[in-house]
Structures are given as C-alpha cells and as structure tokens.
C-alpha cells in the first residue's frame, strides 16, 4: 500500500522525501517507480526512482 503527496511518498508506513514534486507513481510487483516533475529551469537530471516496499 502506498500514498503520495507533493514531495513525499509513504510505502507500508515508511516515508521517503524528494526535493521535487512527484508527478506519478507506478507499482510494479514489489517495486514503486516514481517520476518526479523537474522544473525546466533546474539542471537536475535524475527524475525517475525505484523504491522497494521499505521505501529505500
């Protein structure tokens, strides 16, 4: 079970915070693929993360 809001996601009671807003989350088996919404004026290139059931 997961839920997210703005810059943080909670997976099975474990919370992970991001520097940018979460655009979408896709659950695939026991993993959670997180796509961040990076503003165009930022130089950040890491906008896709994969978290496990412990949010790490």
């Amino acid at each position: 079970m997961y839920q997210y809001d703005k810059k943080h996601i909670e997976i099975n009671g474990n919370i992970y915070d991001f520097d940018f807003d979460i655009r979408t989350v896709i659950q695939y088996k026991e993993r959670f693929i997180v796509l961040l919404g990076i503003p165009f004026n930022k130089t950040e290139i890491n906008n896709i993360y994969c978290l496990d059931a412990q949010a790490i």
Side-chain angles (χ1 to χ4, degrees):
M1 182 175 149
Y2 73 95
Q3 60 184 11
Y4 66 95
D5 181 42
K6 293 274 185 181
K7 297 180 181 181
H8 73 272
I9 185 170
E10 182 178 344
I11 303 171
N12 297 326
N14 301 305
I15 297 175
Y16 191 91
D17 293 315
F18 293 99
D19 292 333
F20 299 100
D21 289 346
I22 297 171
R23 183 178 292 178
T24 190
V25 177
I26 299 171
Q27 184 175 359
Y28 178 72
K29 297 184 181 181
E30 295 179 11
R31 304 284 183 193
F32 300 87
I33 312 300
V34 180
L35 174 65
L36 300 180
I38 308 294
F40 289 110
N41 63 348
K42 300 293 181 182
T43 58
E44 180 68 38
I45 60 171
N46 298 321
N47 68 331
I48 299 175
Y49 290 83
C50 181
L51 302 174
D52 64 10
Q54 284 77 41
I56 51 177

